[in-house]
Amino acid sequence: MSKNTKTSFFCQNCGAQYSQWMGQCKACGEWNTIVEEIIEKKTKSNFPSNKSISSNIIKIHDIETVHEDRIISGDSELDFLLGGGIVPGSVILIGGEPGIGKSTLLLQLSLQINKKVLYVSGEESAIQIKMRGDRIKYSNSDCYVLTETSIEKIIKKSMELRPELLIIDSIQTLSSSYIDSSPGSISQIRECASELIKYAKSSSTPIFLVGHITKDGTIAGPKILEHMVDVVLQFEGDRNYMFRLLRSHKNRYGSTSELGIYEMFQDGLRQVKNPSEILISKKDENLSGNAIAVTLEGLRPMLVEIQALVSTAVYGTPQRATTGFDIKRLNILLAVLEKRAGFHLGSKDVFLNITGGIKIDDPAVDLGVICAILSSNENVSLPDNCLFAGEVGLSGEIRAINRIEQRILEAEKLGYDVIFISKYNKIDIDKFNIKIELVGKVDDVYKMLF
């Protein structure tokens, strides 16, 4: 190795940089993940040139803003998540578990958008992409495929084709000939992402990047990758369920609290316009332990079904298990029922499930969880026309929640007759057609329902 070559040591798990090798990364605690990489780049004499961005100092009041219409993708869930469409020149990073549907989502986007698209794949051959494309019901005659991993060749071909949308699947497979390290290393990911961002900003071409994730669920590579891009989306969902959730973790052009819901089929992903229809099961008879709660994902209200099972502990230590709900939060609610309401649940097994395979962290479902547990404990079913929205405090009080009117309107729209909310929410109950029951403590709810 040349004396002039500069190297550094990077953790392949979290991207932390060190001046010398060590066995354990101090940042993430992983062992044997630190690798030496060459960071001195070769001269980029043959690299495709991009238009330079003006660096003159300008007063903010003198800057002329140019309104650019967003690109409508044809996928209403994705457009809603991005804040109204794809912004020209933006770089969007999508991460998720292997096999969750990232490539399917982007190939479906390529085939349904009415724009010239270049789909670059470093993981699949053109024949494999065509086989997946044949299963999708959409068709776009202006969709082009390139199987390449060299970032220089990709940018050169893209400058020749001039696509209106560029998709890279995935960023971890790309490499630059000016960095002497293997594809997927910290230096390669940072360099390739930097060149793609320069190309996107200079040509106003929006770019979608697929990113692999680590075993902890975070996007692999340096954290600076997420800082560099404009939008970071996370594709989630249990592979045993058909439903997929697309969440926004970062968005320079819209809200980061929105959620897109898809349903996986043989012919691709179907957008779910009304999430409540898939999260509430249809039953012939009322069963104990079932309650309906109203939650919010961003600005979107939706109804979720909560199932609880309370039984006498067969073994000495009672079990606590949850699916889609924080088990620590469940233990707090059980302690409130034990201490404040007098229910002896300390010697019983409690199992809780949020149907549909989604995860809920909205405190407004606390009241629904409490009622589902009490229903199973008493073996008395709740009325099928009522639902709940309220946070339960440590004193057993039902606390007020935000955007209560949106939740009530959603319940009213779906045909429910009664909703239980906190009496501390200041609203005009006369303007709603649904019956609103105001409760202050857990005891009040128990007396009204059982």
Side-chain angles (χ1 to χ4, degrees), residues 285-303:
E285 58 179 337
N286 291 339
L287 302 173
S288 63
N290 286 11
I292 309 296
V294 190
T295 184
L296 273 180
E297 285 289 349
L299 300 176
R300 172 183 292 181
M302 60 183 186
L303 274 56

Side-chain angles (χ1 to χ4, degrees), residues 93 123 151 168-175 183-184 188-194 196 209-212 219-220 225:
L93 177 64
E123 299 178 341
I151 186 65
I168 306 293
D169 186 9
S170 65
I171 186 66
Q172 274 82 9
T173 62
L174 303 189
S175 63
Q188 287 286 11
I189 292 174
R190 183 169 52 228
E191 175 67 16
C192 294
S194 176
L196 287 170
L209 304 177
V210 174
H212 298 168
I219 295 177
L225 175 62

Side-chain angles (χ1 to χ4, degrees), residues 91-286:
V91 180
I92 302 163
L93 177 64
I94 298 182
E97 292 279 352
I100 204 70
K102 304 183 296 296
S103 299
T104 300
L105 175 67
L106 292 180
L107 183 58
Q108 184 170 307
L109 171 65
S110 305
L111 295 176
Q112 72 181 19
I113 193 171
N114 190 24
K115 302 287 182 182
K116 184 190 289 187
V117 181
L118 176 59
Y119 187 99
V120 180
S121 177
E123 299 178 341
E124 298 177 289
S125 66
I127 296 176
Q128 289 175 312
I129 297 171
K130 180 64 166 63
M131 289 172 62
R132 284 199 297 116
D134 289 340
R135 297 199 307 264
I136 298 175
K137 59 185 177 180
Y138 300 102
S139 178
N140 180 11
S141 58
D142 249 0
C143 179
Y144 299 85
V145 174
L146 174 64
T147 55
E148 183 58 67
T149 58
S150 170
I151 186 65
E152 293 84 13
K153 293 181 181 179
I154 290 171
I155 292 181
K156 183 180 179 181
K157 294 291 184 181
S158 183
M159 293 176 72
E160 294 173 358
L161 182 65
R162 295 186 179 275
E164 296 171 271
L165 178 64
L166 176 61
I167 294 174
I168 306 293
D169 186 9
S170 65
I171 186 66
Q172 274 82 9
T173 62
L174 303 189
S175 63
S176 171
S177 60
Y178 304 100
I179 299 290
D180 291 331
S181 58
S182 59
S185 63
I186 303 298
S187 303
Q188 287 286 11
I189 292 174
R190 183 169 52 228
E191 175 67 16
C192 294
S194 176
E195 295 301 334
L196 287 170
I197 290 171
K198 287 179 186 176
Y199 172 73
K201 303 306 178 185
S202 62
S203 63
S204 295
T205 305
I207 299 178
F208 279 85
L209 304 177
V210 174
H212 298 168
I213 66 169
T214 64
K215 63 181 181 181
D216 298 325
T218 58
I219 295 177
K223 197 68 177 177
I224 193 174
L225 175 62
E226 297 181 47
H227 290 288
M228 292 166 67
V229 300
D230 301 308
V231 182
V232 178
L233 303 179
Q234 189 80 11
F235 214 27
E236 303 172 356
D238 192 328
R239 294 179 65 180
N240 297 320
Y241 289 88
M242 293 187 296
F243 310 121
R244 302 289 187 266
L245 307 179
L246 190 61
R247 296 181 186 272
S248 174
H249 288 189
K250 173 188 176 181
N251 191 354
R252 288 176 178 158
Y253 312 113
S255 173
T256 58
S257 57
E258 303 301 344
L259 175 75
I261 301 182
Y262 296 86
E263 194 170 2
M264 179 66 81
F265 287 99
Q266 182 67 24
D267 58 353
L269 292 160
R270 180 179 73 89
Q271 306 156 36
V272 177
K273 299 293 197 301
N274 182 13
S276 302
E277 71 181 5
I278 66 171
L279 299 177
I280 300 177
S281 59
K282 307 296 186 294
K283 303 180 293 291
D284 294 330
E285 58 179 337
N286 291 339

